[in-house]
Amino acid sequence: MKEFHCGSLVPGCDWHTRHPEEAEVMRRAIEHMRETHGESTIRETMVEAIRSRIETKRDAA
């Protein structure tokens, strides 16, 4: 399971998402950045910053 916590990029933001596929986590994170944080242009540096903060978590048993 892949997981992204927006607060690791935007201090104070509690939003997070998880999904088995990194591409879907990226899509959700970019959508969140646009809708919540007003990022109208998502630059490659933002994509890289998000990707570097996606963690792989083991599913709870």
Side-chain angles (χ1 to χ4, degrees), residues 3 5 7 9 15-18 21-23 25-27 30-35 38-39 44 48-49 51-53 55:
E3 187 171 282
H5 289 267
L9 186 59
W15 184 87
H16 65 278
T17 189
R18 62 171 37 188
E21 297 177 16
E22 182 175 303
V25 172
M26 287 293 300
R27 188 196 67 74
I30 289 169
E31 180 179 283
H32 169 75
M33 296 304 277
R34 285 189 174 124
E35 293 180 0
E39 296 288 338
E44 185 61 31
E48 291 171 7
R51 185 172 285 122
S52 72
R53 290 167 171 83
E55 300 177 352

Side-chain angles (χ1 to χ4, degrees), residues 1-4 16-20 25 28 57 59:
M1 188 68 67
K2 305 290 184 180
E3 187 171 282
F4 172 74
H16 65 278
T17 189
R18 62 171 37 188
H19 193 272
V25 172
R28 292 176 183 181
K57 300 286 186 178
D59 292 333

Side-chain angles (χ1 to χ4, degrees), residues 7 41-44 54 56:
T41 302
I42 305 296
R43 292 181 168 77
E44 185 61 31
I54 293 175
T56 300

